Amino acid sequence: MGGKDVEGGGGSLSTGDDEKAKYAKIVFAIAAYATCSSMMLIINKIAVTFLPAPSVVLFAQLLTSAVAIKAMSSAGIVESDPLVWEKAKPFMLVAVAFLGALYTNVKTLQYANVETFIVFRSSTPILIALMDYCFLGRALPNARSWASLLAIVCGALAYVYTDSNFEVRAYGWVFAWYLVFAFDQIYIKYAVDSVKLTAWGRSYYTNLLAVLPVFLLGAVTREDQVLENFEWSFNSVVALSASCAAGVLMSYSQFLLRALISATSFTVVGTMCKIATVVINCFIWDKHASFEGLVALFVCLFSGMAYQQAPMRSERLTKEAGEGEGEEEE
């Protein structure tokens, strides 16, 4: 991802410029996604605290994102894609996976502290790395990256051991999220690489196609009864509005980044940026982990900084073949 990938010698100036432009785009995408992801967890926690109806919050976020992207595209502010059935078909499953991850995410936050969710989030890269190898053609991580991923798991286990706020129902929702999240990461990466859309287009497709399922989900879970007896306040309106605005930026930044890096790298980046969430959470809620639990959490989060993205297996084989030919010529 750095300068070592840029070839030297004659005719390499254009390649070098392309690599720098790609690197700058990746840095921007990581910064945007990290900021949105870190803040989104806190904003969603606040939203479901003031409005205890996760499906309603998600419906508002999805509908706002779809309408906002369509409006900005029509005004020429952003470049989105019109809804085309052939491209929409694979994104229907993306919408379901996206919705499932969001819903179980919000339900987890409704019944558990933020650190409980984050620590399980920290253990996902090792599973995604294996699925990346099995389904998306990536090579397995190198020794340094395996050590990084295992350290994340050890930190997660240490956190669970020291967590005094263990909640069986909350961890049940985390487990449900864990399974949905794994599928979400792999299938969405597959769809992003297979269907040619802009980042705003992917965001528009996903949010628009998820509006109806989340509406039906809210009807099945009878969250309309919550709204019947709910008294809106200034705080609840502001919290919901903030979650909708953040949802637009979060959706765009994640699809921009997904197209630039591997599924495992995307998972690791998402895990690492949660360190900001922990810091903010300590100042907002009195329901957070013990000192020992936070130390374990910091260990598992920072361990991910040592992770190196694995190349595609085809790229590795090509490189090894090229090196073998070079040795024979010598």
Side-chain angles (χ1 to χ4, degrees):
M1 195 177 293
K4 63 181 181 180
D5 297 325
V6 181
E7 294 180 0
S12 63
L13 182 58
S14 178
T15 302
D17 291 341
D18 290 343
E19 289 293 335
K20 289 179 181 179
K22 182 179 179 180
Y23 181 77
K25 190 174 183 180
I26 291 174
V27 171
F28 168 78
I30 289 176
Y33 174 74
T35 302
C36 294
S37 180
S38 298
M39 295 304 300
M40 196 68 189
L41 193 57
I42 294 296
I43 292 173
N44 274 342
K45 180 67 174 180
I46 295 173
V48 296
T49 298
F50 286 107
L51 178 58
S55 295
V56 175
V57 173
L58 290 180
F59 178 81
Q61 289 178 354
L62 295 169
L63 184 60
T64 299
S65 295
V67 172
I69 293 171
K70 182 63 176 178
M72 289 189 293
S73 177
S74 298
I77 299 174
V78 301
E79 183 182 354
S80 183
D81 300 86
L83 193 63
V84 178
W85 174 241
E86 289 302 318
K87 293 184 177 181
K89 284 192 293 185
F91 268 81
M92 294 181 69
L93 191 53
V94 169
V96 173
F98 178 71
L99 173 60
L102 279 177
Y103 183 75
T104 51
N105 180 343
V106 173
K107 291 296 291 185
T108 298
L109 294 175
Q110 187 178 10
Y111 296 108
N113 56 6
V114 174
E115 289 87 354
T116 299
F117 173 77
I118 291 177
V119 71
F120 280 90
R121 176 73 158 79
S122 300
S123 65
T124 56
I126 193 167
L127 173 61
I128 303 303
L130 295 173
M131 295 179 71
D132 227 347
Y133 173 81
C134 293
F135 301 109
L136 297 180
R138 286 273 164 188
L140 289 172
N142 58 26
R144 169 179 165 174
S145 295
W146 275 124
S148 168
L149 299 182
L150 289 173
I152 293 175
V153 174
C154 290
L157 293 174
Y159 174 84
V160 172
Y161 180 77
T162 59
D163 184 12
S164 59
N165 295 321
F166 186 87
E167 298 170 279
V168 175
R169 186 179 181 186
Y171 282 89
W173 273 112
V174 171
F175 180 71
W177 169 85
Y178 200 93
L179 297 178
V180 174
F181 178 81
F183 174 78
D184 171 273
Q185 294 294 93
I186 296 299
Y187 183 77
I188 292 183
K189 176 60 178 174
Y190 165 77
V192 165
D193 290 345
S194 302
V195 183
K196 301 302 179 184
L197 293 170
T198 65
W200 284 110
R202 299 182 196 110
S203 180
Y204 174 62
Y205 273 52
T206 302
N207 285 282
L208 181 63
L209 294 173
V211 168
L212 180 58
V214 79
F215 175 81
L216 297 175
L217 182 62
V220 170
T221 56
R222 301 309 307 272
E223 288 191 6
D224 57 304
Q225 295 180 348
V226 176
L227 292 180
E228 289 177 1
N229 302 318
F230 184 74
E231 294 184 6
W232 290 92
S233 64
F234 175 78
N235 289 337
S236 60
V237 172
V238 170
L240 182 60
S241 300
S243 71
C244 291
V248 177
L249 299 176
M250 176 64 182
S251 181
Y252 166 72
S253 63
Q254 72 152 320
F255 279 111
L256 177 64
L257 185 57
R258 282 181 190 273
L260 297 173
I261 61 178
S262 71
T264 306
S265 295
F266 180 82
T267 308
V268 172
V269 170
T271 300
M272 295 304 98
C273 72
K274 293 300 185 294
I275 190 66
T277 305
V278 177
V279 175
I280 296 172
N281 184 60
C282 290
F283 289 98
I284 295 180
W285 309 104
D286 56 3
K287 179 190 175 186
H288 52 71
S290 62
F291 174 77
E292 293 80 4
L294 283 175
V295 170
L297 189 57
F298 271 69
V299 169
C300 77
L301 289 175
F302 278 108
S303 296
M305 296 177 67
Y307 179 80
Q308 295 177 320
Q309 177 168 292
M312 298 297 291
R313 289 203 295 275
S314 58
E315 294 176 2
R316 175 174 288 183
L317 291 173
T318 301
K319 182 179 179 181
E320 291 175 352
E323 291 176 351
E325 291 176 1
E327 292 176 358
E328 291 177 2
E329 291 177 359
E330 292 178 359

